[in-house]
Amino acid sequence: MIDERPCTAAISIDPLVRDLDGETERLRAEGPLARIELLGVPAWSVTEHAVARKLLTDPRLVKDIDAWSLWTSGTVTRQWPLIGMIDTGRSMFTVDGAEHRRLRIKTTQALTARRLDALRPAIERLTDELLDDLDAAGRDGVVVDLKALFAYPLPMRVISELMGVDRADHPMLLAWYKAFFSLLTPQDERLRVIDELDSYFTDLVRDKTASPTDDLTSAFILADDGGEPLTEEEVVGNLKALVAAGHETTVGLLLNTLRALLTHPEHLSRLRDGDLEWKSAIEETLRWDTPVTHLLMRFATEDIPVADTVIPKGDGVVLSYRAIGRDTTLHGPDADTFDPTRPTSHRHTAFGHGPHICPGAALARLEATIALPALLTRFPTLALAVPVEEIHNLPVLTQNDLESFPVRW
């Protein structure tokens, strides 16, 4: 069944991200489940922590786009600007149950605690390289964009080394991803970019098939773990999703943590004095200023009662992680305050929950715990070069993606 209530009755999610705090407050005010409009398409938004955790483990909510009545009826087509984030081909991110486990196992094996410990020296090396470049660019008080010179290239280089993506291709990939995520990109151009990304990653998989190397993409191709091997489409799907998610969310984590600390100097001082752990600051940022604002999308395979509402079969469900992170029923009336000493900071869903929890969560945390202390140790007088009110989000509906992050020291 399709909910035929007009979209004017729903909260419209602003594609230009002009008032993220206001949007978060409006969503929370609707209760645990809010009716929203995503660029003309109705959906449900989950806004409370307990409800999110329950629904993220509910087998009646699936990732299969063919369970979405608006898609199967033709109401939503490839011309909808957000379709590229949902109809992404077959991968661990778009299937459920046993097939999801089969497609995900190699990623989880590659990102165990032991494997992450082995990655630490490489992340430290890449961090030092970028800090040297940053030092050269920002001498004599010159204002530099920390996003362009540090927060973007670090996670992109880390995930690229892990997956076997050539560093020389980063500028091209950056341009493609920027066009893909921006809601100002005309849809015909976005569809062209999607085709270019598909072609690029398909060629990469075919190259790795012919000449495997020591990377996760080759592991996807070579290993079947005694079960059904991954198809080329499945390897490509895993690869392109991991590269996108593996850098975009970490960029947000790095910049959001730094913005929080630079605008809350009392907590930054405690970090420097050793009275506060970096882990606490990072987890509080994940709760308070999530890298992902709205996660698209799951679909109800039957009517699902939630609080005093029913999600009808065939409807789409969005996880509004920023509203969930500021849930006052869990974090108290001061949930809108950044406080790394908060006892519930670690209780968030910024990386999801249940079977589809982000496989790269530990890697993102590792990058942040290496990069941020190194940055502030190298540049102890680092400061924003503009008032924080002048730092704006890009027109990206799903990520908390900043335009730039000008600093000086």
Side-chain angles (χ1 to χ4, degrees), residues 106 201-202 204-213 215-224 229-232 235-236 239:
K106 272 295 159 189
F201 286 116
T202 298
L204 178 58
V205 168
R206 289 175 180 172
D207 289 344
K208 297 290 183 183
T209 302
S211 302
T213 52
D215 53 59
L216 185 52
T217 301
S218 298
F220 284 147
I221 295 165
L222 293 173
D224 63 5
L230 272 62
T231 66
E232 179 180 271
V235 175
V236 171
L239 170 60

Side-chain angles (χ1 to χ4, degrees), residues 43 62 70 80 132 143 157 245 259 303 388:
V62 300
L70 294 180
W80 187 49
D132 289 343
V143 174
R157 290 183 187 182
R259 175 171 58 175
D303 290 357
V388 69

Side-chain angles (χ1 to χ4, degrees), residues 25-48:
E25 179 57 34
R26 288 191 295 276
L27 286 170
R28 288 188 310 186
E30 290 294 305
L33 200 65
R35 194 64 172 161
I36 62 171
E37 175 201 339
L38 298 169
L39 306 181
V41 172
W44 298 97
S45 171
V46 183
T47 67
E48 287 189 3

Side-chain angles (χ1 to χ4, degrees), residues 315-330:
D315 273 17
V317 178
V318 173
L319 281 297
S320 291
Y321 283 151
R322 197 169 193 276
I324 293 166
R326 297 190 179 199
D327 181 359
T328 56
T329 63
L330 174 63

Side-chain angles (χ1 to χ4, degrees), residues 3-20:
D3 192 315
E4 295 181 349
R5 283 174 291 174
C7 287
T8 52
I11 296 174
S12 180
I13 304 301
D14 182 6
L16 299 182
V17 199
R18 288 165 291 200
D19 182 15
L20 197 52

Side-chain angles (χ1 to χ4, degrees), residues 63-66 71 78 83-96 103 180 194 198 202 231-241 356:
K63 302 297 287 290
D64 183 1
I65 192 173
D66 288 331
W71 175 253
R78 294 287 293 172
I83 197 62
M85 299 183 191
I86 302 172
D87 185 26
T88 60
R90 186 174 173 80
S91 75
M92 74 177 87
F93 297 91
T94 59
V95 298
D96 298 283
L103 294 178
F180 171 75
I194 291 171
D198 286 343
T202 298
T231 66
E232 179 180 271
E233 178 192 5
E234 290 168 344
V235 175
V236 171
N238 277 358
L239 170 60
K240 67 182 183 182
H356 281 279

Side-chain angles (χ1 to χ4, degrees), residues 105-158:
I105 187 169
K106 272 295 159 189
T107 303
T108 55
Q109 289 173 348
L111 296 175
T112 62
R114 181 176 60 83
R115 297 273 181 103
L116 288 175
D117 283 342
L119 280 174
R120 178 180 289 273
I123 299 172
E124 291 172 342
R125 169 179 54 81
L126 293 171
T127 298
D128 288 341
E129 289 176 6
L130 290 168
L131 290 176
D132 289 343
D133 294 342
L134 192 64
D135 196 5
R139 287 175 183 165
D140 302 320
V142 172
V143 174
V144 295
D145 180 5
L146 194 72
K147 179 181 179 181
L149 295 180
F150 186 73
Y152 166 76
L154 176 62
M156 191 62 181
R157 290 183 187 182
V158 171

